[in-house]
Amino acid sequence: MDTNIIIENRFINQKLAPITWLDSPEDIVAHFGAMQAQNYGQALWTVGSRLITPNELAVKTAINEGRIIRTWLLRGTIHLFAAKDYHWMMDLIAPKIDKICQPYRTKLGLTNEVLLKASEVVRGFTSNGPVTRKNLAEHLAQNQLPSAGIPFAQLLVYLSSRKIICSGPDETYQNTLHIPAATRDYSRSEAIGELAKRYVQSHAPATLKDFCFWSGLSVADAKIGLAQFPKYGDFFTTELTKNPVTLETIPLAGFDEWIIGYRDRSIVLDEVWHEEIITKNGIFRPAIISAGKVVGKWEKPKKLNDLEADYWKRYIQFRSML
């Protein structure tokens, strides 16, 4: 498939084209299924850059009110996803998280006894409302449970995958009782199909390898999910656009789906920019794209005067820097 066709269609499906912007943070997240979000501040702009009216407070409010969940999901990393998708996504992905994390848990001494005790302790501790990471660690320490370093982090991942905790207001943790009950019971194959649908509608054109990387599913499962879509060469997609759009210059957030959402990033990330944008320890820095390709990197500005180019206008509006 021609590179320009790929970039143009991704630009539309990723909701980066002005004609595709949405007015609700949760609608954007639901369109993607899940959006990488380990850097909280950058994750806000990941969503905000796709809003009709970019507003940081609107994204924070959607997270704080529980309409968007921020916790460990695909590939065992932190993502944003809609509360209405919480149960079927967690049920599908939790076994994958266990498979990734089990060797670390064994090595760290996180036995079933420890995990079950921690589950009961944290369930009780969060019953009265959200708690900070510091307060949660202190409470675990008081109960002779892991409270620092990698053991603590692995324990949090476990508690999240067991639907005991998730994100709370202002980067806290809370129990999951506020999340609405599932409105539909998905079979495993139906959940795989729905996850594939979200991926293709938000990332296409994309390959089998791209979907396997993004979802963390096996090749066999990924093929089941993608079977519902037409294929052009190696690329699965929905109907290709016949109406060209202007590829705006955009400052993307770190870990933005435009780059991290694919196994093969060479279409938008030239080799000269690879080490500038992706660090050796897997951190994806904020990037500037023009005509869909990375042309620079950037850091959060300290003052308005640092943002002179026209393409910063929406970011300025988002951060209320006027």
Side-chain angles (χ1 to χ4, degrees), residues 108-111 113-115 117-118 121 136-148 151 155:
L108 295 168
L110 295 176
T111 63
E113 182 181 4
V114 171
L115 295 173
K117 179 181 177 182
V121 166
L136 181 56
E138 289 173 348
H139 189 71
L140 287 169
Q142 291 168 7
N143 286 272
Q144 293 76 51
L145 288 163
S147 60
L155 185 54

